[in-house]
Amino acid sequence: MVRAVLQSSKSGVSLSNLQVEYKDLTGELIPYKQLGYATLDALLHSMPSVVKLDKGQSGEVMCHATTGNEMTHITKLAARQCTAKRTGRPQVVNCQMRVKPAAPLVLNAAAFMLLIFLAPSNLNENTTPAKPKLPHSAPYSPKLVQSRLKEVLNKHSNGLWVSKLPQLYREHYKQDLPNEALKDLEHWTHICTVKTSQITPHSAATPPTHDKSPFHHKKPQTQRSFATSKSSTPASPKDLPPDVKQKLGELLLKYSSGLWAHALPKLYQDTYKCKLPEFVLDHLTLLSDICTIDYPMPDNPKRAILYAKVVEDENRNQSGLAGSETKETVERRLSSQMVPPLVIPREEYPSVLVVEASDANSVILRYIGEGYSKVQEKLEDEMREFYGQDINKVALNSPLPGQLTAVRAEEEEEILRAQVCEVMADKVKVYYVDHGFSEVISKSKLFELHEKFYRLPFQATRCKLAGLESFSQEQAVLKRFESMATGKILLAEILERKEVPLMVLYDTSQDDDININAACMKALQDKSLESPLKVNSAYMNVNVTSVCSDGTIYCQVPSRGLTKLNGILEKTENYLHSQVTSELLVSRPFCGKNCLARYKGKWSRVEITNLHGSRVLDILFVDVGVQASVEVTELREIPPPLLCDLISTPAQALKCYLADLPVSVGSWTPDAVQWLRDTVLHCSDCSLKIAKVDEPKRLAHVYLFTSKNFHDTSCSLNQQLADSNLWNQQKDVFLSSRGPSKSLNAPTNPATIQTSNLSTDGQDKAPHTPKRMSSLLGSQSAPPGSPPEQLALPPLLELPEIGQNMDVFVTVVCHPGHFVLQPWQDMYKLVDLMGEMILHYNKMEEKPLKVEKNQVCAAKLENNWYRVLVKGVLTNGLVSVFQLDYGKHELVSCTQLRPLTQEFCQLPFQAITAQLAGLKPRQWSEEASIVFRNHVEKKPLVAQLESVQEASQPWDRKVVIYLVDTSQEERDIWLHDIMAEFTDEMSNTA
């Protein structure tokens, strides 16, 4: 808010006048005392990332908006690489990568302007490329993990090593066991007992002992631990027909991240062409032997999430591979058996250096960062020093294929690890195991590899590119990949953690993130089938498919490509209608994936553009330019017989701007957008004339007509719009910032929610609306003048007893006297809630909401919907809101607010305002705030409740807590001790 005030004045604002201008914009004074500062000057000095203070010519203190660049970090990472065509020495590659702000814990969003932030937040941010705008991994569900562990442990009645659990969990459920679950394991005494020696299952006479440790996030002990199961007898279905149970099991196996129960009937009908028995949803316990049932919303059983139970194949690991191994692979295996295997990074988005790719299913790369390229550089420094002494240079005179060796690199003093591939007369072909390329060198450059250099895993590894499996050796794909990725440091999204992991690669060095996989897929398109773009060309029978809220329109013009596409889609429709199989369900969605979804009742091509967790995602109908938010169960894979034809046909939606308008794209008023939609979206006789073409962007500036009279531009819709008064900003948005409203009800004159075919971003919307959503929409409509529906706020968040502990995640930090946290235990419920909000609000178009201070509503920020409290309405159309589940303050356009429905008020607001216990109240310095922030922000910790300050509203409630970091093996770190020591040191040095 302060930044917004300062940015409106290029010459700055005087300190004496800042409060006046702040109040003019927000209706309130800057609350510096509430934030713990004695004076306004002290508050401003504590936030250098927002305001810069200096003295003007008259000697008066002036405040200027800071133009800092804390969000832009530059890193130069040097790494060796060699293309497939080179055999010379490795080349040093310097890549400059920008770093984007980190995403929130659950769902991605933009960098936030925080009212309570007092200083830069990411001072210790690393210098690896940042993850693109992708979904972050969600917190785990303890109930689900406990249920799955019980199944695993029931198969090992004599116990098993805890270290073996992650592997077994991954084999059973095709997912990684959450790290937090391992830490919580010893406290799940109703499931198993963890001991440091062999154990047996509990009997009724020997109840388990409870751990006295007060904190949950302990790492496993250094001794190897056993876990054993508590016996249980699951209920088995009695009334469910075997064929129905088998089909449901097949469906559940396709969705390893879970399937919403309400999606079962439609999914079952679409897949097997028959109805699911109606009683199944009312008796989900009948499915207990084929799935685990989780209830994130206890008040609504049909909102249950079902997770498949995977039966392990007992004989799966019995057959060996020795019979299929060649002599060469045996030699390589025996030579490298002393070298430990390379472990895939635990982080979801590691940085990688791409070396080369002769096959998209076997891309050679290296991981960049701590534990990988850093330790490799250290190893090579040690090798250079070791082999620099003549006494250690033991020549390898008789190399054998598969043998490991040390190699002196060409024209350098570098010593590299390599493996012998082929032995010739006086030369040898070696493969550099840490750099991923081969080279033919003289035998004189080979030395025996000392055993101490066997300890580091080979750093060169391989991956598969998701989505390109069927086109892995297409030259167009490999050529595009080489030009965009080879020799570059990229960001990798790991979809499957196998021996050869499945990945999506991103280039984050540009202004916009580039999905490398998607770009390579587009290399397969037949350019001759693109929509024609030629200046002064005119087209009749044009179908305007979408009008966006910024004025962009999408059209289909008659072309050879459109004719071919319609024929292929007709075959696709017939194919999917005739198939009775679950093979075409999309079980592994990712950004850039091409698949199918229904548009106006017909299967159409879509590209996944964003994921919200694992069950809700955003898609783009590429042939009509329409965006939508759907559940993953609504997607289908492209049938294999039609895959090549559909992939090779370019998108048929032609992106257009209307030419010669008085405003640019992005400045359209809602009235102008609505007029154009009403005029063209249902017109069957449109025509257009191309005025200008931006070929690199495939963008046409056009004149649009609703008749065939395209020779006279004065008859165009462009001219009608230019001559209209639709460009005046609408005045029906109510702005209020003067005092609180009398109640927290919905607004007194709510806009009627329209169940149209338009999305919230103004685009023509896929009309598919599930039954549950139709009922929701119907309940929201209200005739003009009807009284507002009372909005009952959620119940208060339950807190532990005084002195008890809870696992928390700290979302926002101002200083030790003011920060915000979330309870960790039920965070997965928030993920599910936000997924439901996305589906609900993105399927409707609403008029602007009457906005009042202290109103609880839903707000769209980036691609997500949040529950928010309106803190104030600015005179420039922006609204200050407080995220009730994340504790962040945001500025959002009033057009992005919607009424919060009662359905989304079941889960308590998750943000808890807190103060650190064990410290005397004081005015915290900037340095102390930064130290505290670096220790706790965006981290899972343990909180011990000291006291609760209740309030009339849940967002005013405050807790006083001790914070403890229990992630260290050797000791727990109490944050109040650290802050006390820091303030003492600062006092002594003052």
Side-chain angles (χ1 to χ4, degrees):
M1 302 282 278
V2 171
R3 183 182 283 115
V5 173
L6 298 177
Q7 286 178 340
S8 65
S9 176
K10 294 182 179 180
S11 59
V13 178
S14 66
L15 181 61
S16 60
N17 200 42
L18 180 60
Q19 284 282 35
V20 176
E21 297 208 12
Y22 186 93
K23 186 173 182 179
D24 286 342
L25 185 65
T26 68
E28 298 176 341
L29 295 175
I30 300 174
Y32 59 87
K33 290 186 177 179
Q34 296 176 28
L35 294 173
Y37 294 89
T39 64
L40 175 60
D41 184 66
L43 170 63
L44 298 178
H45 273 96
S46 72
M47 38 202 287
S49 63
V50 176
V51 58
K52 176 184 177 182
L53 303 176
D54 59 21
K55 288 192 176 182
Q57 296 180 350
S58 63
E60 188 174 17
V61 176
M62 300 295 294
C63 308
H64 303 271
T66 300
T67 56
N69 61 349
E70 65 261 22
M71 288 302 180
T72 306
H73 298 271
I74 301 299
T75 178
K76 295 182 179 180
L77 300 176
R80 301 182 175 278
Q81 63 90 28
C82 181
T83 66
K85 298 178 182 179
R86 273 189 348 110
T87 57
R89 66 185 179 87
Q91 169 187 344
V92 174
V93 179
N94 291 325
C95 297
Q96 289 188 339
M97 310 298 292
R98 67 184 170 87
V99 171
K100 287 188 173 182
L105 173 70
V106 179
L107 300 172
N108 59 302
F112 298 107
M113 181 187 295
L114 301 181
L115 179 62
I116 63 173
F117 264 32
L118 298 184
S121 60
N122 294 321
L123 299 185
N124 294 330
E125 194 163 359
N126 60 36
T127 56
T128 57
K131 57 168 285 192
K133 299 175 181 178
L134 297 170
H136 197 285
S137 56
Y140 82 103
S141 164
K143 292 181 180 178
L144 171 64
V145 174
Q146 289 172 5
S147 175
R148 289 178 169 180
L149 287 181
K150 187 182 297 184
E151 296 171 16
V152 173
L153 293 171
N154 278 337
K155 297 182 179 181
H156 298 82
S157 58
N158 294 324
L160 57 90
W161 294 113
V162 168
S163 59
K164 185 72 172 176
L165 264 182
Q167 176 187 343
L168 290 174
Y169 191 93
R170 189 180 302 111
E171 290 175 356
H172 276 68
Y173 304 107
K174 313 306 179 189
Q175 289 181 327
D176 288 333
L177 176 66
N179 291 331
E180 294 303 320
L182 275 178
K183 300 173 183 177
D184 293 341
L185 187 62
E186 60 185 294
H187 299 280
W188 294 345
T189 52
H190 62 295
I191 300 293
C192 64
T193 298
V194 180
K195 297 184 179 180
T196 55
S197 59
Q198 188 174 7
I199 61 172
T200 55
H202 282 298
S203 65
T206 56
T209 57
H210 291 266
D211 194 331
K212 302 296 184 181
S213 170
F215 302 116
H216 294 183
H217 288 297
K218 288 288 188 184
K219 288 186 175 179
Q221 301 296 317
T222 53
Q223 302 101 319
R224 298 186 70 189
S225 299
F226 274 105
T228 55
S229 152
K230 294 292 189 67
S231 60
S232 62
T233 305
S236 57
K238 298 178 180 178
D239 302 323
L240 195 63
D243 63 321
V244 174
K245 184 171 69 172
Q246 179 184 351
K247 291 175 180 177
L248 288 174
E250 291 177 0
L251 292 181
L252 293 169
L253 286 175
K254 296 293 290 187
Y255 301 101
S256 60
S257 296
L259 178 66
W260 271 320
H262 68 72
L264 271 180
K266 185 175 185 303
L267 186 62
Y268 191 92
Q269 171 79 37
D270 289 347
T271 305
Y272 300 112
K273 310 300 185 288
C274 59
K275 288 187 177 181
L276 178 71
E278 295 182 359
F279 64 84
V280 172
L281 289 188
D282 295 325
H283 300 85
L284 291 177
T285 53
L286 293 176
L287 309 178
S288 59
D289 71 333
I290 62 171
C291 69
T292 301
I293 307 170
D294 188 28
Y295 295 93
M297 300 295 174
D299 295 339
N300 191 344
K302 292 186 180 181
R303 283 289 175 82
I305 302 176
L306 311 179
Y307 299 88
K309 294 182 178 180
V310 181
V311 180
E312 185 178 12
D313 185 352
E314 299 290 345
N315 300 317
R316 184 168 59 88
N317 295 321
Q318 298 300 317
S319 59
L321 299 176
S324 63
E325 288 186 325
T326 64
K327 178 180 178 181
E328 181 180 358
T329 56
V330 171
E331 289 172 341
R332 286 173 181 259
R333 176 171 54 80
L334 293 176
S335 175
S336 60
Q337 65 182 0
M338 297 174 61
V339 179
L342 183 69
V343 178
I344 298 175
R346 295 173 63 183
E347 59 204 278
E348 193 173 2
Y349 301 97
S351 300
V352 298
L353 171 69
V354 177
V355 179
E356 66 176 25
S358 57
D359 188 321
N361 288 334
S362 185
V363 176
I364 300 176
L365 53 79
R366 292 167 44 205
Y367 296 113
I368 301 298
E370 295 294 336
Y372 295 92
S373 59
K374 296 293 186 183
V375 294
Q376 179 211 332
E377 292 168 9
K378 182 180 179 182
L379 174 98
E380 292 180 356
D381 289 341
E382 293 174 354
M383 291 180 67
R384 188 187 309 113
E385 181 180 352
F386 179 84
Y387 289 101
Q389 303 174 25
D390 292 337
I391 191 175
N392 295 325
K393 290 182 179 178
V394 180
L396 188 62
N397 296 319
S398 303
L400 297 174
Q403 190 171 4
L404 292 182
T405 179
V407 176
R408 185 174 71 248
E410 293 283 350
E411 301 175 11
E412 288 189 41
E413 293 303 321
E414 296 287 340
I415 302 292
L416 308 177
R417 296 192 302 177
Q419 191 168 41
V420 177
C421 299
E422 182 181 353
V423 180
M424 293 163 269
D426 58 347
K427 291 184 179 293
V428 62
K429 183 178 181 181
V430 298
Y431 176 76
Y432 293 105
V433 295
D434 296 314
H435 296 277
F437 65 94
S438 300
E439 187 172 39
V440 177
I441 61 173
S442 169
K443 287 184 179 179
S444 63
K445 296 181 179 293
L446 302 184
F447 304 104
E448 290 186 4
L449 185 64
H450 192 274
E451 62 179 12
K452 70 177 182 178
F453 300 124
Y454 278 67
R455 299 169 188 167
L456 182 69
F458 299 151
Q459 296 299 295
T461 187
R462 298 175 185 272
C463 79
K464 292 173 62 175
L465 298 181
L468 293 166
E469 296 90 341
S470 300
F471 309 99
S472 63
Q473 295 184 340
E474 291 286 340
Q475 289 304 305
V477 169
L478 298 178
K479 185 176 180 180
R480 178 71 62 87
F481 184 80
E482 181 178 1
S483 65
M484 298 185 68
T486 300
K488 293 185 178 180
I489 296 177
L490 304 175
L491 209 67
E493 178 187 10
I494 303 177
L495 303 179
E496 279 187 356
R497 293 175 177 270
K498 295 184 176 180
E499 182 177 356
V500 179
L502 185 68
M503 294 184 178
V504 180
L505 300 180
Y506 298 88
D507 184 348
T508 63
S509 64
Q510 309 299 319
D511 290 337
D512 295 315
D513 298 329
I514 299 174
N515 185 317
I516 301 295
N517 299 43
C520 290
M521 185 66 77
K522 288 181 173 61
L524 295 167
Q525 294 179 352
D526 183 349
K527 298 296 183 183
S528 68
L529 298 177
E530 288 183 333
S531 300
L533 287 180
K534 188 175 181 181
V535 176
N536 294 326
S537 295
Y539 301 92
M540 296 183 293
N541 300 318
V542 173
N543 179 23
V544 180
T545 57
S546 177
V547 177
C548 304
S549 58
D550 65 356
T552 303
I553 64 174
Y554 288 88
C555 306
Q556 288 183 342
V557 300
S559 67
R560 191 164 65 93
L562 184 59
T563 302
K564 179 180 179 181
L565 173 67
N566 290 334
I568 301 172
L569 290 179
E570 185 175 349
K571 294 179 182 177
T572 302
E573 195 74 30
N574 294 333
Y575 185 95
L576 290 174
H577 184 71
S578 64
Q579 296 297 306
V580 183
T581 176
S582 61
E583 291 300 313
L584 294 179
L585 301 178
V586 174
S587 58
R588 192 187 303 109
F590 56 88
C591 286
K593 180 179 176 63
N594 295 293
C595 49
L596 302 171
R598 281 195 177 97
Y599 176 72
K600 294 185 176 179
K602 299 289 185 180
W603 290 106
S604 303
R605 297 191 299 177
V606 299
E607 179 179 330
I608 297 175
T609 57
N610 192 31
L611 285 88
H612 306 276
S614 58
R615 290 181 289 274
V616 178
L617 39 81
D618 297 335
I619 58 174
L620 171 67
F621 288 90
V622 296
D623 297 307
V624 291
V626 172
Q627 297 182 27
S629 296
V630 299
E631 297 179 35
V632 68
T633 55
E634 297 179 47
L635 302 180
R636 296 294 181 273
E637 297 283 0
I638 298 175
L642 303 168
L643 180 62
C644 290
D645 285 339
L646 280 178
I647 292 299
S648 64
T649 305
Q652 295 299 303
L654 177 61
K655 185 178 181 179
C656 303
Y657 291 166
L658 295 187
D660 298 339
L661 289 183
V663 299
S664 60
V665 169
S667 302
W668 283 50
T669 63
D671 287 342
V673 172
Q674 193 60 49
W675 181 86
L676 186 59
R677 289 172 178 165
D678 294 340
T679 305
V680 302
L681 285 181
H682 304 290
C683 176
S684 59
D685 196 25
C686 287
S687 56
L688 63 80
K689 183 176 182 180
I690 298 179
K692 186 173 66 172
V693 172
D694 186 344
E695 186 62 44
K697 297 181 179 179
R698 294 287 302 165
L699 172 66
H701 296 256
V702 303
Y703 295 100
L704 190 61
F705 305 83
T706 53
S707 67
K708 294 183 174 63
N709 189 19
F710 51 78
H711 301 289
D712 186 0
T713 57
S714 64
C715 298
S716 67
L717 297 182
N718 309 47
Q719 191 64 46
Q720 295 180 47
L721 276 168
D723 295 340
S724 73
N725 61 356
L726 294 172
W727 305 111
N728 300 326
Q729 292 291 335
Q730 62 183 35
K731 301 177 181 180
D732 60 349
V733 179
F734 180 80
L735 303 178
S736 170
S737 62
R738 308 304 183 200
S741 59
K742 295 181 180 179
S743 70
L744 294 171
N745 299 342
T748 57
N749 187 22
T752 301
I753 297 175
Q754 301 176 347
T755 57
S756 68
N757 281 347
L758 298 174
S759 67
T760 53
D761 61 2
Q763 297 188 354
D764 208 16
K765 176 57 63 178
H768 168 63
T769 305
K771 290 182 179 179
R772 63 185 185 85
M773 197 56 65
S774 301
S775 64
L776 277 173
L777 298 177
S779 67
Q780 286 298 306
S781 300
S786 63
E789 182 182 352
Q790 279 295 83
L791 181 66
L793 294 180
L796 276 178
L797 185 70
E798 290 186 10
L799 296 173
E801 297 293 330
I802 301 299
Q804 297 301 308
N805 308 316
M806 63 186 298
D807 298 329
V808 299
F809 184 83
V810 180
T811 58
V812 177
V813 175
C814 179
H815 50 70
H818 189 97
F819 54 95
V820 180
L821 49 83
Q822 296 170 315
W824 184 267
Q825 185 76 7
D826 291 334
M827 204 174 295
Y828 73 100
K829 295 182 180 179
L830 179 60
V831 178
D832 294 330
L833 171 69
M834 294 182 68
E836 290 283 348
M837 291 177 69
I838 290 166
L839 292 173
H840 176 76
Y841 289 111
N842 282 3
K843 277 187 166 72
M844 65 175 63
E845 173 90 354
E846 293 196 32
K847 295 180 181 178
L849 177 67
K850 179 181 177 182
V851 184
E852 297 181 356
K853 186 177 179 180
N854 282 353
Q855 179 178 336
V856 175
C857 55
K860 187 176 185 181
L861 301 164
E862 286 294 309
N863 293 317
N864 299 312
W865 286 90
Y866 297 86
R867 302 187 295 182
V868 301
L869 172 71
V870 176
K871 301 291 289 184
V873 184
L874 283 63
T875 55
N876 60 1
L878 294 179
V879 180
S880 169
V881 298
F882 175 74
Q883 290 188 19
L884 292 164
D885 295 305
Y886 289 89
K888 298 175 180 178
H889 289 261
E890 304 284 356
L891 288 177
V892 61
S893 170
C894 58
T895 62
Q896 299 300 305
L897 299 180
R898 299 288 182 269
L900 188 67
T901 68
Q902 196 63 58
E903 176 191 12
F904 302 131
C905 287
Q906 295 183 23
L907 183 70
F909 297 137
Q910 297 294 292
I912 309 171
T913 303
Q915 172 184 332
L916 189 62
L919 297 170
K920 296 179 180 179
R922 71 191 72 193
Q923 179 174 314
W924 293 97
S925 66
E926 176 188 348
E927 293 83 0
S929 299
I930 291 173
V931 168
F932 183 65
R933 182 177 302 121
N934 289 340
H935 273 91
V936 305
E937 193 169 60
K938 302 292 186 290
K939 292 183 179 180
L941 302 168
V942 174
Q944 187 176 88
L945 190 62
E946 173 72 10
S947 64
V948 180
Q949 300 173 11
E950 298 291 355
S952 58
Q953 301 296 348
W955 48 84
D956 292 327
R957 196 184 193 195
K958 188 173 184 179
V959 298
V960 180
I961 59 170
Y962 291 99
L963 279 181
V964 189
D965 183 350
T966 63
S967 63
Q968 302 298 318
E969 184 73 46
E970 58 278 354
R971 67 188 182 97
D972 296 331
I973 301 175
W974 293 74
L975 272 301
H976 71 284
D977 289 339
I978 289 181
M979 298 312 301
E981 292 173 6
F982 178 81
T983 52
D984 289 343
E985 290 177 5
M986 294 295 291
S987 300
N988 295 334
T989 57

